[in-house]
Amino acid sequence: MDITIHTSFLPHDDPDASLAFYRDALGFEVRSDVGQGKMRWITVGPVGQPGTSILLAPPAADPGVTEDERRTITEMMAKGTYGWILLATPDLDGTFEKVQARDVEVVQEPTEQPYGIRDCAFRDPAGNLIRIQELR
């Protein structure tokens, strides 16, 4: 089989703040931005990698989600336990400095992990955990 990861999903509760984080702090390009108000679906991705994207979407927009589930999702997003993604870079220290300079929530500074990788972590405006590991 020839299968690639094309788009992954992360929730947002403030499209403008999420857009600023992914575009301005991480340097991703905006590929599409549809909808209006808080009901926007924003596709972003790394420059030069058109085949890999992240869809930032409002979790409450799914008609199959019950009110109880919406409350649970909202609570999990507020705690930062709902969504996360793992990114990678050959220059972890430089990337960390650039992202941190944008006044974002730092969860972990660059650290050598006991399981053999070096990484750092941030939270995006919706509470999603963004881990960035160093490519070696």
Side-chain angles (χ1 to χ4, degrees):
M1 281 192 262
D2 184 9
I3 298 174
T4 61
I5 296 173
H6 182 263
T7 305
S8 61
F9 158 88
L10 285 176
H12 74 69
D13 53 5
D14 181 336
D16 292 325
S18 290
L19 182 60
F21 176 82
Y22 287 93
R23 181 193 58 214
D24 302 338
L26 292 181
F28 286 1
E29 63 185 8
V30 178
R31 302 203 173 130
S32 69
D33 185 347
V34 298
Q36 53 188 305
K38 287 198 170 234
M39 299 305 266
R40 285 168 55 196
W41 289 259
I42 304 165
T43 304
V44 297
V47 174
Q49 297 180 42
T52 305
S53 299
I54 298 172
L55 173 61
L56 306 169
D62 186 340
V65 176
T66 67
E67 282 305 312
D68 284 342
E69 292 168 332
R70 279 187 182 85
R71 272 192 298 282
T72 299
I73 290 168
T74 300
E75 290 169 3
M76 290 179 72
M77 286 175 65
K79 289 179 15 182
T81 59
Y82 186 67
W84 65 280
I85 194 163
L86 177 60
L87 306 173
T89 180
D91 180 13
L92 185 64
D93 294 318
T95 299
F96 178 82
E97 287 177 21
K98 287 178 185 172
V99 175
Q100 182 185 32
R102 290 292 185 163
D103 194 31
V104 300
E105 181 184 349
V106 175
V107 175
Q108 177 191 312
E109 294 188 6
T111 303
E112 187 73 38
Q113 301 294 352
Y115 41 88
I117 64 162
R118 186 166 180 265
D119 70 353
C120 64
F122 300 93
R123 289 219 187 276
D124 77 2
N128 299 306
L129 183 64
I130 312 301
R131 294 200 75 84
I132 306 173
Q133 75 180 44
E134 185 173 55
L135 292 173
R136 296 181 180 178

